Amino acid sequence: MADYQAPLRDMRFVLNEVFDAPALWASLPKVAENVDPDTADAILEEAGKITSGVLAPLNREGDEQGCKWNDGEVSTPDGFREAYQTIVEGGWNGLGGNPEFGGMGMPKTLVAQFEEMMQGANMAFGLAPMLTAGACLALDAHGSQELKEKYLPNMYSGVWSGAMDLTEPHAGTDLGIIRTKAEPNDDGSFNVSGTKIFITWGEHDMAENIIHLVLAKLPDAPKGPKGISLFLVPKFMVNDDGSLGERNQFSCGSLEKKMGIKGSATCVMNFDGAKGWLVGEENKGLAAMFTMMNYERLGVGIQGIGAAEASLQSAREYAMERIQSRSPTGAQEPEKAADPILVHPDVRRMLLTMKGYVEGGRAFSTYVAQWLDIAKYAEDDERRKHAEGMVALLTPVAKAFLTDRGLDTTIIGQQVFGGHGFIREWGQEQLVRDCRITQIYEGTNGIQAMDLMGRKVVGSQGKLYELFANDIATFIEENSDNQALRPYLEPLAAAFERLSDVTENVIAKAGENPESIGAAAVDYLDLFGLTALGYMWVKIVKAAADKAEGDTSGFYTGKIKTARFYFDRLLPKTVALAEGIRSGSDSMMALTAEEF
Ligand SMILES: Cc1cc2nc3c(=O)[nH]c(=O)nc-3n(C[C@H](O)[C@H](O)[C@H](O)COP(=O)(O)OP(=O)(O)OC[C@H]3O[C@@H](n4cnc5c(N)ncnc54)[C@H](O)[C@@H]3O)c2cc1C
C-alpha cells in the first residue's frame, strides 16, 4: 500500500492558481490580519508533515484495534492519545477558530485543505478535531459571552474536545420527535435527561474534558422541530477559576460495533439529570445546531475526497507496478513477463475517473469554502448576503455529491487491485468501509438532495439557483474568446443549460405534485454536482493552459488531459440524469406496498 502523502502540490495549485485565494484573503480585512501567502504555505507544509507522518501511520492499527469500553470509560487505539497531543500542541483544533477566544482565525479555504489531509490520513481520528471545530463554531455563534469565555479557549486548544448529541434511538432524520428533556433549575442551569445514540467521540481518553452540545426539549415546548433547544453539557463541571470539578451525571453506556471508522468511538450516551446550559434561545436549538451541521456537512464532503485521494494514491502506484497481460497494441515492456496494468484502457478509465472526481472535487470544496469565507468575513452586506445564498445552495451538493463520488472512487480504487483490493493487506477495503458512513451521517444523502431541491431550489422559487447560474454564465461569457477553453466551454454550456432547464421544470411541477421533489431530488443533486465539477474542470484548465507548454513534470499537461476525459466520459452522464428526472414520479409511486 502506498503511504498516504498529503497532496500539497495539488492543494497549492487549487488555492493559488485556480482560485487565487491570496487575493481573496487580501480583500477581507479580518482574514488579511491573520494570513498571508507565506503563512498559508507554512501551515500547509506543517499540516502535510503531521497528517502524513503522525496520523496516517495509525490508520490501520486504529481500524484493527478499535476503541474499547470498560465500565463507562473508553480507551482509544495505541498511538491515538499521543497523536491527539501533537494536534493540541500545534493548535490545529483552533485553526479556523475565533482569535478573540484563542482560535487562529484562518480562512476556510485554507482550513479545508488541512481537513482533507487529516481525513485522508486517518478518518476515524480526524472526526475528533472536526467535531470539536464544529461545536466551537455553534458556541461562538450562539452561546452567551460567559459560556464562550469559559469553554472556547480550551476547546480551540483541543485540551477539551466537542461532541454533537442529536440522534436518539427512535429519532434520526426527524429530530422533531426527540424525547430528551431539559428541566430548568433555579440557578439558570438545566437538568438534561435522555438517551442519545451514535455519538461520535462522545467518550474517550484523549482530552481532559468533553463538551457535549445536546438537543433536548423544555417542559411545555411546542411539538416538532420548533420545540427543540440546545444545551452545553460538559463531562466534568468547570469551576469559576477554570479548573475541573466533579463529573457530570451522564455516561457512555456502550460502543457501537460498526462497518468502518472503527478507530473512532460511536457512543450510546445516557444523560441522567446532567447539568447543562442553554446555548442560544429557547426552542431555537435546531437553528443553532445548523450552524454546526452546515460546517460539518462541508467537512463530511471533504472526508469523501480525503478517502478518495488516499485510494487514488495507492491505485496509481499499484497500476504502475502490477504486471498482467500485454497491451492491446503489443508488448510495452518486452523485457518483463507482462506489461504493467496501466497499459489497459479499462485500468486507465478507472484511474481517470478517480482523478476526475478527486481533483475536481478538491476544487469544488475549495470553491464552496471560498463562499464560506466571504459569507463570514466580507464587510459589504450585499457581498455577504450573496455568499450566504451560495453557501446555502452548495452545502448539500458538497456533502452528498462529494461523498457519493468519494465512495464510488474508493470502490474503483479497490477494483484496480483486483482480488488484492478485497483482502486486508493493501488498505483499499478499509477505505471503502470507512468512506461508506459519509453518505449516511450528518443527514443522509437522500435528505441532502431533498434539502437542495425542496428547501433551496423550489423553496426560493429558483432565486438561490440563479446565484450559481449567474456565476457560471458570467464565467462562460468572460472566457468565450479563450481558444484554449473553447473545447470545454461548449459542453459545459450544454450541461448548464440542461441543469437550468430541469430546474425550471421541477419548480413548475412542484406546485402540482407534492411527490415530484422527492422523486427527482437525488438525480437532480447528481446532475448539479456533475455540472459543478465540469465548471471546476474548466477553471482548472484555465489555470493550467499557459503553463502546460514545456511542462516536463506532467503536472499541468496531466490536468488538461484529465479535463478532456471528464468532458468525454463523466459529464455526459448528465444527459441520462436529465432524462430520468423528466419522467416524473409516476413509475416510482405506482407500486402498492404488496407489490414491493
Ligand atoms: C458511525 C456513526 C456516527 C454518527 N455520529 C453522530 C453524532 O456524532 N451525533 C449524532 O447526533 N448523530 C450521529 N450519527 C447519526 C446519524 O446522523 C444518523 O444515523 C442519520 O442522520 C440517519 O438517521 P437514522 O439512522 O435514524 O435513519 P432514519 O432517519 O431512520 O432514515 C432511514 C432512511 O429513511 C430515509 N428518510 C427518512 N426520512 C425521510 C424523508 N423525509 N424523506 C426521504 N427519505 C427519508 C433516510 O434517508 C434513510 O435512508 C452517527 C451515525 C453513525 C452510524
Side-chain angles (χ1 to χ4, degrees), residues 47-284:
K49 282 189 199 143
I50 288 176
T51 52
S52 309
V54 178
L55 303 187
L58 299 175
N59 194 34
R60 176 66 170 268
E61 266 311 295
D63 183 56
E64 305 234 316
Q65 288 182 22
C67 288
K68 304 223 162 43
W69 182 93
N70 183 14
D71 199 17
E73 304 293 328
V74 172
S75 53
T76 46
D78 291 348
F80 272 42
R81 288 180 58 153
E82 294 77 6
Y84 189 83
Q85 210 41 46
T86 307
I87 294 290
V88 170
E89 280 158 17
W92 294 102
N93 259 313
L95 193 62
N98 183 352
E100 200 186 327
F101 300 103
M104 283 164 70
M106 291 298 149
K108 186 72 186 175
T109 27
L110 182 63
V111 176
Q113 314 306 321
F114 166 62
E115 288 174 344
E116 192 208 304
M117 294 183 217
M118 184 164 62
Q119 305 299 349
N122 191 331
M123 195 190 289
F125 179 94
L127 278 160
M130 176 174 156
L131 280 156
T132 306
C136 288
L137 204 78
L139 193 53
D140 192 32
H142 304 285
S144 64
Q145 186 68 10
E146 194 187 342
L147 284 181
K148 289 197 246 187
E149 282 170 10
K150 199 164 187 176
Y151 291 94
L152 278 178
N154 277 324
M155 291 175 78
Y156 281 140
S157 73
V159 173
W160 301 345
S161 70
M164 164 167 109
D165 302 51
L166 291 72
T167 307
E168 299 183 7
H170 68 290
T173 301
D174 187 359
L175 293 168
I177 57 173
I178 59 167
R179 293 185 190 134
T180 299
K181 291 253 168 283
E183 306 273 350
N185 296 316
D186 292 341
D187 64 357
S189 69
F190 294 80
N191 282 352
V192 177
S193 301
T195 299
K196 296 285 178 181
I197 63 164
F198 297 163
I199 307 308
T200 301
W201 289 119
E203 177 57 41
H204 60 87
D205 60 2
M206 300 190 292
E208 285 174 14
N209 201 359
I210 303 174
I211 312 305
H212 289 255
L213 291 187
V214 184
L215 288 183
K217 292 202 155 188
L218 291 164
D220 307 323
K223 280 199 165 40
K226 292 200 169 124
I228 299 175
S229 304
L230 180 62
F231 298 88
L232 179 151
V233 185
K235 174 177 168 185
F236 290 104
M237 305 309 241
V238 179
N239 299 320
D240 287 342
D241 65 358
S243 61
L244 294 185
E246 67 194 40
R247 192 159 176 159
N248 210 345
Q249 291 298 308
F250 70 94
S251 63
C252 171
S254 61
L255 292 183
E256 304 294 351
K257 293 190 169 54
K258 54 194 191 286
M259 171 180 177
I261 53 166
K262 292 186 182 196
S264 71
T266 306
C267 307
V268 174
M269 300 302 306
N270 298 318
F271 293 86
D272 218 354
K275 209 160 185 185
W277 287 267
L278 185 68
V279 177
E281 290 177 47
E282 288 183 4
N283 300 327
K284 300 233 167 108

Side-chain angles (χ1 to χ4, degrees), residues 204-504:
H204 60 87
D205 60 2
M206 300 190 292
E208 285 174 14
N209 201 359
I210 303 174
I211 312 305
H212 289 255
L213 291 187
V214 184
L215 288 183
K217 292 202 155 188
L218 291 164
D220 307 323
K223 280 199 165 40
K226 292 200 169 124
I228 299 175
S229 304
L230 180 62
F231 298 88
L232 179 151
V233 185
K235 174 177 168 185
F236 290 104
M237 305 309 241
V238 179
N239 299 320
D240 287 342
D241 65 358
S243 61
L244 294 185
E246 67 194 40
R247 192 159 176 159
N248 210 345
Q249 291 298 308
F250 70 94
S251 63
C252 171
S254 61
L255 292 183
E256 304 294 351
K257 293 190 169 54
K258 54 194 191 286
M259 171 180 177
I261 53 166
K262 292 186 182 196
S264 71
T266 306
C267 307
V268 174
M269 300 302 306
N270 298 318
F271 293 86
D272 218 354
K275 209 160 185 185
W277 287 267
L278 185 68
V279 177
E281 290 177 47
E282 288 183 4
N283 300 327
K284 300 233 167 108
L286 209 52
M289 200 53 133
F290 261 103
T291 305
M292 178 169 183
M293 287 197 280
N294 275 334
Y295 174 92
E296 304 288 3
R297 281 178 179 171
L298 175 60
V300 174
I302 288 174
Q303 289 190 311
I305 309 171
E309 165 70 30
S311 180
L312 172 61
Q313 289 185 13
S314 281
R316 184 167 46 206
E317 188 178 299
Y318 191 77
M320 293 186 197
E321 287 172 2
R322 174 75 172 169
I323 57 167
Q324 290 294 298
S325 318
R326 289 295 180 192
S327 155
T329 58
Q332 301 297 301
E333 300 196 15
E335 70 289 1
K336 293 185 180 159
D339 285 333
I341 57 172
L342 185 65
V343 301
H344 303 304
D346 187 54
V347 174
R348 288 170 164 257
R349 174 192 63 78
M350 292 194 272
L351 289 174
L352 277 161
T353 303
M354 297 174 84
K355 260 173 91 60
Y357 289 141
V358 170
E359 293 168 17
R362 177 172 300 124
F364 184 61
S365 70
T366 306
Y367 173 73
V368 179
Q370 180 185 267
W371 291 113
L372 274 164
D373 280 337
I374 299 171
K376 187 166 174 188
Y377 293 112
E379 296 189 338
D380 175 67
D381 278 354
E382 211 165 299
R383 193 175 173 211
R384 222 175 33 242
K385 246 181 130 196
H386 174 256
E388 281 166 7
M390 286 293 254
V391 168
L393 180 78
L394 298 175
T395 296
V397 184
K399 195 282 179 179
F401 188 74
L402 296 181
T403 57
D404 282 347
R405 295 297 86 77
L407 183 75
D408 289 352
T409 303
T410 57
I411 290 174
I412 298 170
Q414 185 180 34
Q415 192 76 10
V416 170
F417 280 74
H420 300 272
F422 193 72
I423 58 158
R424 301 263 302 132
E425 185 184 354
W426 294 91
Q428 287 290 352
E429 59 84 43
Q430 183 189 342
L431 290 170
V432 173
R433 285 188 288 104
D434 285 354
C435 194
R436 181 67 178 90
I437 185 59
T438 61
Q439 297 177 302
I440 298 171
Y441 59 19
E442 281 306 319
T444 62
N445 284 1
I447 295 299
Q448 302 300 322
M450 298 280 289
D451 179 43
L452 171 70
M453 183 158 232
R455 288 186 55 219
K456 308 291 168 60
V457 174
V458 176
S460 73
Q461 282 299 303
K463 289 209 168 50
L464 291 180
Y465 176 76
E466 265 170 41
L467 299 177
F468 178 67
N470 288 341
D471 196 48
I472 298 200
T474 308
F475 178 86
I476 293 174
E477 171 72 29
E478 281 175 0
N479 290 284
S480 56
D481 291 338
N482 185 329
Q483 290 304 321
L485 295 192
R486 185 151 289 172
Y488 309 94
L489 284 177
E490 275 172 24
L492 175 66
F496 167 49
E497 212 178 297
R498 205 169 289 129
L499 176 64
S500 296
D501 184 52
V502 167
T503 304
E504 241 174 65

